[in-house]
Amino acid sequence: MTALDPLRLTARVAKRLLVDGEISSAELAKVYLDQIAAVEPRVRAYIRVTHDNAAKYSTKVDREMQALRGPLAGLPIAIKDNMVTEGVTTTCASRILRDYMPVYTATAVRQVWDDHVVMLGKTNLDEFAMGSSTENSAFQTTRNPWDLATVPGGSSGGSAAAVAAGEALWALGSDTGGSIRQPAALCGVVGMKPTYGAVSRYGLIAFASSLDQIGPLTRSVYDCALLLQHIVGHDPNDATSVALPEPIALPDAQRLDGLNVGIPVEYLAAGIEPGVRARFDETVSRLEELGGTCVEISLPHTEYALPAYYIIAPAEASANLARFDGVRYGHRCADPVDLLDMYERTRAEGFGPEVKRRIMIGAYALSAGYYDAYYGRAQRVRTLVRRDFARAFADVDLIASPTTPTVAFEAGSRTADPLSMYMCDICTIPVNLAGLPAISIPCGLSDGLPVGFQLIGPAFSENRILQAAHALEGAIGFAPAPTFQDSGAAAPAGARTEAPA
Amino acid sequence: MIGEDDVRHVAKLARLRLEQDEVARMTGELARILAHIDKMSELDIADVPPTAHVLDVVNVTRPDKPGTSLSRADALRNAPAVTDDCFRVPRMS
Amino acid sequence: MTAWEPVIGLEMHVELDTRTKMFCACAVTRGDAPNTHTCPRCLAHPGALPVVNQRAVEYAARIALALNCTVRPRNIFHRKNYFYPDLPKAYQISQYDEPLAVEGWFEYWVGDEKLRCRINRVHMEEDAAKLIHAGGDAGRIAGSDYSMVDFNRGGTPLIEIVTEPDIPSPEAAREFLQQLRSLVIELGVSACNMEEGQVRWDANLSVRPQGSSELGTRTELKNMNSFRYLQQALDAEIPRQVEIIEAGGRIDLETLHFDPDTGTTTPLRSKEEAHDYRYFPEPDLVPLVIDPAWVQELRRAQPELPAARVERFASQYGLSRADALVLGSSHALAAFYEEVVAQGAGAKPAANWTMGEYLAHLNAAGLEAGRGHVTAERLAKLVKLVEDGTVSTSAGKDVFARMIAGRAEPEAIVEKHGLGQISDTAELAAIVAEVVAGNHAQVEQYRAGKQQVIGFFVGQVMKASGGRANPKLVNELLRKALGG
């Protein structure tokens, strides 16, 4: 058996090796478990590695090859720790759920479990998916395998880092304001947020109910489509889930003739740093070389999307997180004097500062006298953002933008100013407000760190996006792998320590 | 402009115990965030309908058919305190 | 001195008799062991999501239509946010400014007077879990050491019916609720069992000078499930408010506690600030768009409602309004009465027997109408036996008592116990003659003009005949025999 490089292996290739008998599922799992052992002390992508499960289940897949077949069987996967997994503690990277043992499994996870994936473990995230760097995790900070002094992005930083670091073949994450796409961009992997409703949210620990979606983080666009195929579908357990009008197809496009792509001027004005802009422009050229046409478009209400998001998401979150009250599960403070004391101290002890901030903003925005000015207004801005996209898609097939304004930033460089952290998501948030699908693919390096290229489509245009991304991916030919270097505490010249103005 | 009294009031609504220094810090942070959010007030949007749901889906219901409930053991599995097969909570004051 | 009048508004909460809960598929049960009917949803585990129970929507619509409401073309759910151990999500999924139905009315009787109360809204929500307070004083909150939560009830579909403040008196409030409860039971959507708390109500009351049309500040009584206590509480609250106002004070919007032992209402020490529920549309549920054809179908399928049935009884059976109310208000008794008449008993005698002996029997035995050994067929037979003179009324009551105990038919009981009325003229005449012959003094008194002495003779004839003589005939024969 040839030595497999976990940093480069794709599900497509791994599946072929399994089917051809060149590797067993147990051996494949071991490749990843070995890589985890090697790099995890530095990357810290996992909250919990389920060694035993991975070893046992992969062996079982080998043994029962006839029964346990299918496109995903035997392929090792990491799951973001905000999806409940029966029998495996699920923490949401929060002290308040540190020992929570779910009594059911999220539908999307159930679907891939039923397809006989081998789960490697639960990955780190910003607490309750609130953040853009994974620094808000209560347990550990995940590091970007491209430069261990930097962040992997967030909130699905653990999943992105795990895939980038070869600690998983692929992973599931969740995206509320960019939490799959932004870390995918910073970690040089593919990440996709499906159309709102395409994947069941049942079992996804809710952050913002009208914005959350589960999606894949993978090493290739093909892998992304393959995993997406297996997590979509109407779920009777989720009243907001819908069946896709057409099934997800595995992409094979190599050209983009006839494809009209719009580039929103507002996104390019959003403080994109020069290296990111350069890679973006190069990718746009490639797009045109493949036969696509790129035009400038306008999404005039873009600048209002972030403020609207930072009302809607915290408002919904303030209600979604109210159930963490120490009554039925999770942390309860010691020796409560009375009920009120139990509530207040449990939640004060259990939640981190960013979570508290968002709960406070959310409760404030909904409170008596403020609803119309904040939540009511934000919901109207949301309509304007949706209309912007609808008008644009009357003229173009897809919209392209840099995924994030900067590459991975130094850990600790934005934690003092929440607003600077929020700015990471300026190109991703509007997509969630509109409920649209979008993908981020690596398009090059800047200062040695990956740059992401985002494609956005109309609702349920996943196949169109995947085809375009696949063709572009082929043309880009992103080759590098993370080096696990560490630029260290000393800020190198030109370090990105401040958010763009 | 949000002040410390507002913050204390909202903390009570949200059942979050904040120490005085936290109240002070939170007030500053929230004020800065809300100032940014106030950008929205530039817009004249009185006649724009709000979006409560991005999906154009209606009437999702389920038939009135019993499903499987949790065993009591599973229901109580994560309970911080149990008495007589019930979840125990401290007294209200 | 000002004359004051009370202004009362009511909210009734009804737990529906669906098979499953409002937003999850756990069974709706009563009395089962704690926490045996729960799931990740009604325990509010992380990641759980609600899905609407279709039948609950239908039942809610039925209630709304019976209350003459407009079922709105589109309705949505809202989150009502507050913290309490019996509320696992720390929000209740309810309805706010886009409810299922609005603007209806309900007619009800207080004595002979028909009143109309406007219905503000009918909406759907979920019930809280059961909270049991331990330690402390007999299950009350104050002074208890800890509380226990049983989530079996949590999530049961709950319908809220809110009236306008159209109720003019505590008595009217009681009648309104009793008759509204009968209506809901009639619809078959809830048994409205009071002991189990399937139906609860809140009342709010303010006072104003008689004839004024302004509304004063109201106080609220919450979560009652006794008609009697409600009326008592409102009766106590009116003078309390009047006294405060006349002394120059002001009524505060407060929740009251009613103490049935002392019969007084006192404002609850406010535990905390008034709730700020921070309502916002429920993002986990999509809107319900109501099909007018479906509403038409529900209207068509609506059973005869108590109000219509009472009217019909009055006209069809020639009953007084009061009697029609007693017999027609509740489905079971009405059905029973109609069956008795259908079996051939006269409408008026059937009414008397049903409202009299039969109803007394039901109350004593704790039975629902139609249950037990006294079937409609049997009662009809008894009524006919009395009507046609086979048994006297008093013997009939004896027969009835025996009917309760066993399965025998009335005729058989009459025969077995010799309860048949003696109506044979010859036989009676013989007894009359004997009695007259044996009581000269009384005969003289009667002939002297003391007409009421005839009662003595009737009694004697009854005694001699073992109580079985036909009283009407006895009277006739006695008068003939005594002459004059």
Side-chain angles (χ1 to χ4, degrees):
Chain A
M1 180 197 77
T2 41
L4 292 173
D5 183 359
L7 292 172
R8 298 196 186 278
L9 194 59
T10 63
R12 184 179 200 174
V13 170
K15 186 40 120 168
R16 202 176 57 235
L17 294 172
L18 280 175
V19 166
D20 292 347
E22 291 198 36
I23 190 174
S24 72
S25 178
E27 286 165 335
L28 185 60
K30 189 168 185 308
V31 168
Y32 287 97
L33 291 171
D34 286 347
Q35 179 71 355
I36 289 170
V39 305
E40 183 58 3
R42 285 173 284 163
V43 176
R44 315 223 50 213
Y46 283 90
I47 288 178
R48 176 181 299 270
V49 180
T50 49
H51 296 93
D52 284 349
N53 163 81
K56 286 202 189 103
Y57 197 72
S58 57
T59 308
K60 180 175 156 131
V61 169
D62 286 329
R63 213 172 39 232
E64 296 171 45
M65 273 295 274
Q66 286 308 109
L68 303 182
R69 278 201 299 194
L72 264 51
L75 297 178
I77 193 168
I79 310 281
K80 183 177 181 181
D81 203 21
N82 64 349
M83 295 173 227
V84 292
T85 43
E86 188 176 346
V88 180
T89 53
T90 301
T91 68
C92 237
S94 177
R95 258 186 292 272
I96 218 164
L97 287 178
R98 189 206 299 269
D99 301 311
Y100 172 67
M101 177 62 72
V103 292
Y104 75 111
T105 299
T107 298
V109 176
R110 169 63 58 196
Q111 283 177 205
V112 297
W113 278 5
D114 286 348
D115 290 328
H116 315 299
V117 293
V118 176
M119 189 172 81
L120 294 166
K122 309 298 290 299
T123 57
N124 197 23
L125 60 150
D126 285 294
E127 188 182 0
F128 285 106
M130 299 181 187
S132 307
S133 66
T134 313
E135 290 168 296
N136 291 328
S137 166
F139 305 134
Q140 67 212 50
T141 300
T142 301
R143 295 310 176 102
N144 191 320
W146 293 84
D147 178 352
L148 297 169
T150 66
V151 299
S155 61
S156 310
S159 284
V163 174
E167 295 183 274
L169 180 61
W170 51 8
L172 286 182
S174 73
D175 191 312
T176 304
S179 288
I180 286 175
R181 294 161 286 151
Q182 185 255 19
L186 267 48
C187 288
V189 298
V190 175
M192 185 167 194
K193 182 196 90 68
T195 308
Y196 182 83
V199 178
S200 168
R201 289 184 300 114
Y202 190 67
L204 172 67
I205 300 180
F207 161 15
S209 315
S210 73
L211 301 165
D212 295 341
Q213 271 292 280
I214 292 172
L217 289 109
T218 62
R219 229 167 265 125
S220 72
V221 175
Y222 180 96
D223 282 7
C224 183
L226 178 60
L227 186 47
L228 190 63
Q229 267 183 346
H230 292 260
I231 59 172
V232 294
H234 168 65
D235 180 13
N237 282 320
D238 175 4
T240 62
S241 82
V242 291
L244 295 185
E246 57 180 30
I248 301 292
L250 298 173
D252 58 3
Q254 312 212 307
R255 298 275 311 167
L256 296 173
D257 302 286
L259 187 75
N260 289 315
V261 178
I263 299 169
V265 294
E266 293 85 3
Y267 284 41
L268 294 183
I272 312 292
E273 70 181 8
V276 171
R277 180 62 192 264
R279 297 295 89 72
F280 177 75
D281 289 341
E282 287 155 19
T283 312
V284 167
S285 300
R286 281 195 219 282
L287 215 160
E288 291 176 322
E289 282 161 23
L290 291 176
T293 310
C294 290
V295 296
E296 208 176 74
I297 61 168
S298 171
L299 299 173
H301 296 96
T302 298
E303 67 184 304
Y304 303 104
L306 204 87
Y309 173 86
Y310 276 104
I311 289 293
I312 293 170
E316 293 179 2
S318 71
N320 286 328
L321 269 59
R323 67 189 60 195
F324 302 108
D325 57 9
V327 173
R328 291 145 287 117
Y329 51 77
H331 174 67
R332 179 189 286 197
C333 65
D335 304 317
V337 162
D338 59 18
L339 186 67
L340 183 62
D341 183 42
M342 184 192 82
Y343 282 151
E344 291 189 340
R345 257 195 309 132
T346 294
R347 292 162 62 77
E349 290 170 7
F351 291 136
E354 182 61 33
V355 170
K356 285 182 189 168
R357 261 191 295 274
R358 298 206 193 187
I359 290 175
M360 293 287 290
I361 294 177
Y364 182 72
L366 292 171
S367 65
Y370 293 108
Y371 182 96
D372 288 327
Y374 288 112
Y375 191 78
R377 180 162 279 266
Q379 293 286 49
R380 292 173 209 278
V381 170
R382 187 171 190 175
T383 302
L384 294 175
V385 170
R386 294 176 69 204
R387 284 182 185 168
D388 280 0
F389 278 109
R391 277 193 207 104
F393 284 125
D395 299 326
V396 299
D397 304 311
L398 293 176
I399 290 172
S401 82
T403 309
T404 59
T406 71
V407 294
F409 45 90
E410 203 181 308
S413 63
R414 297 196 188 191
T415 46
D417 181 12
L419 264 178
S420 70
M421 193 68 83
Y422 297 168
M423 290 298 172
C424 296
D425 297 326
I426 215 152
C427 300
T428 50
I429 273 175
V431 177
N432 298 80
L433 287 179
L436 301 176
I439 198 170
S440 176
I441 61 171
C443 65
L445 297 178
S446 167
D447 284 337
L449 294 171
V451 177
F453 184 86
Q454 175 173 239
L455 284 169
I456 307 164
F460 304 111
S461 65
E462 277 80 354
N463 284 332
R464 183 190 309 172
I465 292 173
L466 288 163
Q467 287 287 30
H470 176 82
L472 204 47
E473 174 189 58
I476 293 168
F478 183 77
T483 57
F484 299 91
Q485 61 154 357
D486 188 336
S487 66
R496 299 152 299 280
T497 52
E498 306 234 282
Chain B
M1 195 55 178
I2 192 171
E4 289 196 5
D5 281 343
D6 296 309
V7 170
R8 265 187 284 266
H9 173 72
V10 175
K12 203 118 201 113
L13 283 180
R15 297 297 187 271
L16 284 174
R17 171 85 44 89
L18 296 180
E19 303 305 326
Q20 178 46 40
D21 59 318
E22 278 178 289
V23 172
R25 192 187 53 230
M26 183 86 69
T27 306
E29 288 167 350
L30 295 185
R32 265 197 308 284
I33 295 169
L34 287 167
H36 178 75
I37 283 165
D38 270 338
K39 204 173 200 335
M40 287 195 294
S41 55
E42 285 171 15
L43 292 168
D44 176 17
I45 49 179
D47 53 353
V48 177
T51 297
H53 300 94
V54 285
L55 290 171
D56 271 326
V57 173
V58 297
N59 291 348
V60 177
T61 60
R62 64 178 168 85
D64 188 28
K65 227 170 55 122
T68 324
S69 290
L70 291 173
S71 69
R72 181 162 54 214
D74 276 345
L76 298 171
R77 181 174 304 285
N78 288 280
V82 177
T83 296
D84 293 345
D85 295 324
C86 290
F87 295 83
R88 189 174 79 243
V89 294
R91 62 189 181 87
M92 351 253 147
S93 51
Chain C
M1 177 78 157
T2 331
W4 298 92
E5 66 180 15
V7 175
I8 299 167
L10 296 168
E11 269 179 36
M12 187 157 111
H13 288 85
V14 178
E15 275 186 3
L16 295 179
D17 279 334
T18 51
R19 295 176 69 199
T20 62
K21 297 185 179 182
M22 185 75 213
F23 299 114
C24 71
C26 287
V28 168
T29 60
R30 294 184 214 294
D32 282 3
N35 292 304
T36 49
H37 297 286
T38 69
C39 73
R41 298 180 150 105
C42 53
L43 284 179
H45 272 243
L49 296 172
V51 186
V52 174
N53 179 338
Q54 171 61 32
R55 180 166 288 142
V57 181
E58 182 198 315
Y59 282 10
R62 284 209 232 155
I63 291 176
L65 291 171
L67 291 174
N68 307 290
C69 292
T70 304
V71 175
R72 297 176 60 261
R74 191 186 111 113
N75 67 85
I76 67 171
F77 290 92
H78 270 73
R79 292 189 184 176
K80 178 180 180 181
N81 300 278
Y82 64 97
F83 283 83
Y84 211 55
D86 64 2
L87 193 65
K89 296 186 289 297
Y91 57 86
Q92 179 197 37
I93 301 179
S94 176
Q95 297 195 297
Y96 182 54
D97 57 1
E98 293 188 56
L100 173 78
V102 292
E103 289 178 9
W105 43 265
F106 181 57
E107 282 176 346
Y108 63 110
W109 283 274
V110 181
D112 267 343
E113 202 190 342
K114 184 153 89 167
L115 300 175
R116 175 185 279 219
C117 178
R118 291 167 301 160
I119 303 292
N120 176 280
R121 59 195 277 142
V122 174
H123 79 233
M124 300 175 279
E125 56 189 30
E126 50 177 346
D127 207 353
K130 191 159 82 167
L131 201 50
I132 309 150
H133 305 294
D137 177 27
R140 294 266 310 281
I141 298 180
S144 71
D145 298 323
Y146 58 92
S147 306
M148 301 185 294
V149 197
D150 170 14
F151 287 93
N152 283 354
R153 190 185 80 180
T156 302
L158 203 62
I159 302 303
E160 181 167 324
I161 302 165
V162 181
T163 75
E164 300 290 358
D166 289 349
I167 313 273
S169 70
E171 186 196 6
R174 201 197 70 235
E175 288 293 344
F176 174 90
L177 289 171
Q178 279 173 324
Q179 292 171 41
L180 178 55
R181 175 174 171 270
S182 294
L183 170 65
V184 174
I185 294 173
E186 191 79 42
L187 292 172
V189 300
S190 171
C192 290
N193 187 306
M194 316 256 296
E195 293 81 49
E196 287 170 5
Q198 262 197 305
V199 57
R200 280 117 53 191
W201 38 82
D202 301 341
N204 52 73
L205 179 146
S206 62
V207 298
R208 66 183 174 197
Q210 226 158 48
S212 159
S213 57
E214 275 180 31
L215 290 174
T217 310
R218 57 179 211 271
T219 55
E220 302 182 327
L221 283 156
K222 288 204 161 312
N223 248 339
M224 315 205 80
N225 66 341
S226 157
F227 297 121
R228 194 158 50 92
Y229 286 171
L230 174 77
Q231 189 174 350
Q232 283 178 10
L234 292 171
D235 278 327
E237 177 62 5
I238 294 169
R240 189 191 78 90
Q241 285 197 13
V242 168
E243 198 178 310
I244 292 175
I245 296 177
E246 285 185 338
R250 206 194 53 176
I251 306 296
D252 293 318
L253 175 56
E254 282 169 319
T255 306
L256 301 171
H257 170 64
F258 174 66
D259 184 348
D261 298 326
T262 61
T264 55
T265 52
T266 41
L268 280 174
R269 244 184 357 227
S270 57
K271 316 166 260 204
E272 46 179 90
E273 320 82 48
H275 286 298
D276 178 355
Y277 292 121
R278 289 158 280 139
Y279 284 99
F280 68 99
E282 172 57 79
D284 289 334
L285 294 174
V286 295
L288 294 175
V289 170
I290 303 292
D291 177 9
W294 177 71
V295 172
Q296 269 310 101
E297 184 53 39
L298 287 181
R299 255 193 250 275
R300 229 188 30 79
Q302 195 175 85
E304 183 183 38
L305 299 182
R309 185 171 51 223
V310 167
E311 300 275 4
R312 180 169 68 81
F313 274 17
S315 61
Q316 184 177 342
Y317 299 116
L319 301 176
S320 72
R321 164 57 43 75
D323 288 354
L325 254 176
V326 172
L327 288 170
S329 293
S330 95
H331 174 80
L333 190 63
F336 180 87
Y337 169 70
E338 293 211 88
E339 184 58 25
V340 172
V341 173
Q343 293 287 334
K348 288 264 174 50
N352 291 334
W353 277 94
T354 306
M355 290 191 299
E357 298 299 300
Y358 185 66
L359 209 47
H361 152 60
L362 291 181
N363 288 335
L367 282 174
E368 200 193 43
R371 298 238 182 266
H373 298 136
V374 183
T375 62
E377 292 84 351
R378 290 192 189 124
L379 185 60
K381 285 182 190 165
L382 175 59
V383 171
K384 281 189 280 188
L385 287 176
V386 172
E387 273 181 273
D388 69 20
T390 311
V391 278
S392 66
T393 308
S394 61
K397 291 185 182 175
D398 195 347
V399 173
F400 185 86
R402 289 174 200 280
M403 274 164 64
I404 292 174
R407 284 199 176 74
E409 297 296 324
E411 303 90 336
I413 295 174
V414 167
E415 175 135 350
K416 180 165 170 204
H417 298 280
L419 293 170
Q421 192 166 243
I422 303 174
S423 295
D424 179 56
T425 314
E427 198 181 336
L428 283 179
I431 300 177
V432 162
E434 246 185 77
V435 164
V436 167
N439 291 284
H440 289 293
Q442 287 79 355
V443 173
E444 293 305 323
Q445 285 175 0
Y446 181 82
R447 287 185 178 148
K450 269 178 102 174
Q451 300 270 310
Q452 59 271 40
V453 172
I454 199 161
F456 165 79
F457 284 105
V458 172
Q460 289 299 303
V461 171
M462 281 305 185
K463 201 157 119 199
S465 68
R468 294 165 51 216
N470 182 324
K472 193 153 148 277
L473 268 179
V474 166
N475 258 282
E476 279 175 29
L477 290 169
L478 271 173
R479 284 187 206 279
K480 231 176 23 198
L482 292 168

